[in-house]
Amino acid sequence: MSMNYRSIYRYIAGQLPLLYAQKDKLWIAIWLAAISALWLWNRIFLNYPAFTQIQSAFLNTFLMAFLCIIFSLLLAWSTAVGLHFIPSTRAPYLLLPLTFVLNLIRSVPQILGVLIGYIGVTVLIRADMLSNRTTIIILLAFITALFVFLELVDLIRERIDHFRKLDFVNAMLCCGIKESRIINIEILWKNSLAHVLNKLIALFGVAIFLQCSVDFIVSIGLSTEVSPVNLPPTLGSMLAKIDSKQDILAIGYSLTHPTYVANLLFQHLQGITTAFLIVFTLLSMYRISIGFSRRHRL
Amino acid sequence: MPRKYLDHLFSVLFIVLLFLILFLIVRSGAEAELETEYTRVAPYLNLASLDLSEPLHRTLFSETLNIYYPETEARNDSLVELTRRYATDDFMAVQEMLRSGPGLTWSKFWSLSGMYISFIISYLLVMVLTYYGVQTLAVLRFVKEKQNLRPYLIRFVEHIQQLPPRDDKSAIAAYLQTGSKYLGLAILKGIGYLILFSPAYVLAYSFRSRFDTDTFVFMILLGAVSNGLLVMYAQRFFTFLTSESRKGYVQTAIVKNLNAAYSEIPWSTLFRFRKRFDDHILQHIYLNARYQYILTLKEQASFLITGLIIIEMALNIHGHICYELLQNVLFEQYDVVLIILLGLFLVVKATEVLVDLWMDLEAMKYENR
């Protein structure tokens, strides 16, 4: 038995330097470990209704952020490839209005765009045109994607421009390979996937940040206009609850009363957990993105 | 005029026109609504026997309406509520509302203008702070990496593995001191990262019980350090520095004996606003990285404005333009909302034009145009 423990220890000790060298995997492991530990801690010490609320808010937030990056990928890929092909189509004049609209979206501060979108969704909810929670989540994710996908468009266009200058593209064209295949498969899929994934990791963090912020603003600022019951609970709306805000205020109190710090982990668990989930996830996404770009030498 | 400036001009004209049309639609709609509303309540306003501030009178009025119009009870209730509002509101407020419509008045416009100027000042200050902060953090990280300084946590782990002899008390004291220094610095760095990645509202509520978070200075500081802005753009500047340092001209300069010893750079030069590293390879790497960073300022400006909007809205800071925006969305004063949105759009556009102008000036210098 002791041999088994020793071999497990040796195996883990041997893996640690490898994990440390691959910072993205290390941070994924740290994030998963921290979230699991937090889940366990809350399961033991947080009251059950608050625990289920946080759990559902966490899942909704991550589902929306995940859907947001899927939409961003679809929008960005089609827009960038479309912009590349439009000049050689029968309607090259479409390039100007499309670029104009994209630049216009770029000039709208993301939070305002998403906020206006959220207000639109709540108007639809109030008019009973929208009631299904899944549809609301998909719509909110799409709205967020509309204001973040342009970063990915820029990246994809850069990649296409970079590879278009290389000989292999002309060589493939001479071999009779269709340009759409060269762009989609050879350039983007085979040679830019790591770049795209890295950008998507960063956008995942941005999507969480934007959704939490808008939900927080909507929950505290537009509470009579938009009942929080109408929108799916997220970490942002959880943080806007009075209990959570009191919990966050306790952090300030413990700065001057260090002995109070221990209470944060028991009495103020709802707000502290919500804030920690947001902040730690944003930090982890940043570190994962950096680690990923270093590992793939981007 | 270069095409990019024409693009800016057309997009500003397009948006101004669009907002103007929407403004007129919203305004005429609101005026018509107000007129209809007033026509509905006018017959009941001057009834001598009716005092709608009294609950009994309100109930009587409501029941009378229900007897005469039994099929529209909900409408009757809203009419009672509306009449009560007109009858009991401050006379001047009602007059003002009737005279100018429910939304934008001239006094409100001037008040919004003051808030807008205050927003622009805070935006400019945060922009300057982040411009400095981004470059300083990135250069610091770059120099530390070139000096091969390992992270504090790794140094702590390596340190605790080198136990001194048990009988050497001075060595044990030094061992503990160094260990606690590394651990303390690692914890501080971790807390620093958590602060830099905290959304503004989390930070503000954490400190709200300690000091007044509604002050202008606090807002500026919060705008600069929160929402991950500083770290994200410092990382981007760091990427520019790293990619520049790998270029051929840097290797050539090093071979030709230009100073490339990063340990000789005094720390004080890293914190200067106008950074200069005379007779050092970092000067050239820095200048080229900064040149590439200029265009990133457009994106940074948009994200910075997002951060400021979040701060003003989430903290409910009275007398600020984004708080007004939220309040007017809440009270459905869409003409005011449109004016504020247009103002915010113009700030972003103005930044984009200025950045393009700056980039053109720098291009003339570095690309011999």
Side-chain angles (χ1 to χ4, degrees), chain B residues 33 35 87 110 121 133 136 150-151 162 175 208 221 224 226 233 241 264 268 294-295 317 325 338 342 355 363-364 366:
Chain B
E33 197 179 307
E35 211 174 303
W110 292 121
I121 293 170
T136 306
R150 294 160 74 76
Q162 297 160 354
Y175 171 81
R208 203 161 224 184
L221 280 176
S226 64
Y233 288 94
L241 287 170
E264 289 171 13
S268 59
I294 291 171
L295 279 182
I317 307 179
L325 173 65
L338 284 170
L342 180 64
V355 168
M364 283 200 296
Y366 291 112

Side-chain angles (χ1 to χ4, degrees), chain B residues 126-140:
Chain B
V126 178
M127 193 71 191
V128 171
L129 274 179
T130 49
Y131 177 78
Y132 166 77
V134 160
Q135 296 191 14
T136 306
L137 275 180
V139 172
L140 257 172

Side-chain angles (χ1 to χ4, degrees), chain A residues 20 96 99-100 103-104 106-112 115-116 119 126 151 199 206 209-210 212-213 216-217 220-225 239 245 248-249 251-253 255-257 275-276 278-280 282-283 286-287 290 294, chain B residues 3 7 10-11 14-15 141 145 151 154 193-194 197-199 201-202 205-210 227 231-232 235-236 238 299 302-303 305-306 309-310 313-316 325-327 329-330 332 334 341 344-345 348-349 352:
Chain A
Y20 182 75
L96 196 66
T99 320
F100 181 75
N103 285 336
L104 216 57
R106 212 185 289 273
S107 300
V108 177
Q110 288 167 328
I111 195 82
L112 281 183
L115 184 65
I116 292 167
I119 291 169
R126 282 204 305 173
E151 282 184 39
K199 184 54 97 179
V206 174
F209 170 71
L210 282 175
C212 287
S213 302
F216 185 84
I217 290 168
I220 64 157
L222 299 175
S223 51
T224 59
E225 168 89 352
L239 200 63
K245 284 196 281 193
I248 303 296
L249 284 171
I251 298 176
Y253 180 76
L255 287 177
T256 46
H257 300 79
F276 181 78
I278 297 172
V279 175
F280 190 66
L282 293 178
L283 171 63
Y286 165 78
R287 303 301 301 201
I290 291 178
R294 283 204 174 171
Chain B
R3 201 192 135 175
D7 279 352
F10 281 128
S11 60
F14 175 77
I15 284 291
R141 198 176 142 202
E145 202 162 283
I154 299 298
Y193 264 118
L194 286 178
F197 274 99
S198 289
Y201 39 89
V202 174
Y205 277 103
S206 306
F207 295 117
R208 203 161 224 184
S209 58
R210 297 297 90 209
N227 300 328
V231 189
M232 277 200 321
Q235 169 62 25
R236 199 162 291 187
F238 174 78
E299 208 183 289
S302 179
F303 196 70
I305 289 177
T306 288
I309 293 169
I310 290 171
M313 284 184 174
L315 301 185
N316 279 339
L325 173 65
L326 202 60
Q327 288 301 301
V329 170
L330 185 63
E332 299 181 3
Y334 293 118
L341 287 180
L344 293 174
F345 173 80
V348 180
K349 262 296 165 213
E352 287 179 359

